[in-house]
Amino acid sequence: DIQMTQSPSSLSASVGERVTITCRASRSIAGFLNWFQQKPGKAPTVLIYGAYRLQSGVPSRFSGHGSDTDFTLTISSLQPEDSATYYCQQAYSKRTFGQGTKVEVK
Amino acid sequence: QVQLVQSGSELKKPGASVKISCNTSGYNFTNYYVNWVRQAPGQGLEWMGWINTNTGNPTYAQGFTGRFVFSLDTSVSTAFLQISSLQPDDTAVYFCAREGVVPAAMMADYWGQGTLVTVSS
């Protein structure tokens, strides 16, 4: 099975800061990488699919990059409502989630 | 509009079984797989597997074989997750989520609200 490793596990940043989360796959997954946001007590929502495609309705401050084994999710200007846990997921072979990155907005 | 509505919370004793439903509406049920995802208290998301709603063929992730069964009732556009021989570490929120089958739509774009299963004596 493909393993997904995210870093960091948590971060704290101020409103307006640029934030980047990294996700690494244990083997090549081409561009089959999705990013989800989850707020406490809620179901996850998809932000990015296919490594860089922005899901409809998601603010443009979210962007995704990468291919093969290394991927990033960037929030260009952090907002208070971005406080959440973010998960990457490989969609190349079955599915696997990363362990999550908790983002706190100061 | 697309909706996935799950059955309510369950409290079960160790050794019992539970069957969770995921009632879908607003789209063609057989055009999308249904994923099942587990989230233990305070933990991350675990992909349990999915079921092909066109063929009824389930695929289970490692660690979710044997006691876990995915099934369908296509007549009412509903997917089910049954867990047998429940143990306390099965205590979790279980989510269903639809996923497209074409490369441009291979992501879980609509989710159920989650079903909390608590296993306790």
Side-chain angles (χ1 to χ4, degrees), chain A residues 28-61:
Chain A
S28 178
I29 58 170
F32 293 96
L33 191 283
N34 303 325
W35 289 97
F36 293 87
Q37 178 192 66
Q38 187 183 32
K39 297 185 177 181
K42 299 294 187 181
T45 59
V46 61
L47 300 173
I48 301 284
Y49 64 100
Y52 62 87
R53 295 176 172 87
L54 194 68
Q55 173 67 341
S56 176
V58 173
S60 59
R61 63 180 180 273

Side-chain angles (χ1 to χ4, degrees), chain A residues 94, chain B residues 18-22 29 33-38 46-53 55-73 78-84 94-97:
Chain A
K94 299 186 180 180
Chain B
V18 69
K19 191 169 185 177
I20 300 165
S21 64
C22 174
F29 182 66
Y33 284 18
V34 172
N35 289 273
W36 289 97
V37 174
R38 182 170 80 176
E46 277 187 282
W47 185 73
M48 301 173 66
W50 61 27
I51 185 164
N52 181 327
T53 54
T55 65
N57 183 44
T59 298
Y60 299 98
Q62 259 187 359
F64 293 100
T65 55
R67 296 190 300 118
F68 302 84
V69 176
F70 308 148
S71 61
L72 303 171
D73 184 343
T78 299
F80 299 94
L81 164 64
Q82 183 161 359
I83 312 171
S84 59
Y94 294 84
F95 294 100
C96 63

Side-chain angles (χ1 to χ4, degrees), chain A residues 85-96:
Chain A
T85 301
Y86 294 83
Y87 296 91
C88 63
Q89 182 206 43
Q90 65 83 12
Y92 183 81
S93 173
K94 299 186 180 180
R95 300 292 177 265
T96 317

Side-chain angles (χ1 to χ4, degrees), chain B residues 5 10 26 29-30 38 40 45 48-49 54-56 67 74 81-83 86 92 101 104 109 111-113 115 119:
Chain B
V5 179
E10 302 267 9
F29 182 66
T30 57
R38 182 170 80 176
L45 304 172
M48 301 173 66
N54 200 37
T55 65
R67 296 190 300 118
T74 55
L81 164 64
Q82 183 161 359
I83 312 171
L86 284 162
V101 299
D109 60 350
W111 292 62
Q113 81 277 20
T115 297
V119 184

Side-chain angles (χ1 to χ4, degrees), chain A residues 13-34:
Chain A
S14 300
V15 171
E17 273 194 66
R18 183 182 183 89
V19 165
T20 297
I21 299 167
T22 296
C23 182
R24 174 164 288 175
S26 59
R27 62 178 175 94
S28 178
I29 58 170
F32 293 96
L33 191 283
N34 303 325

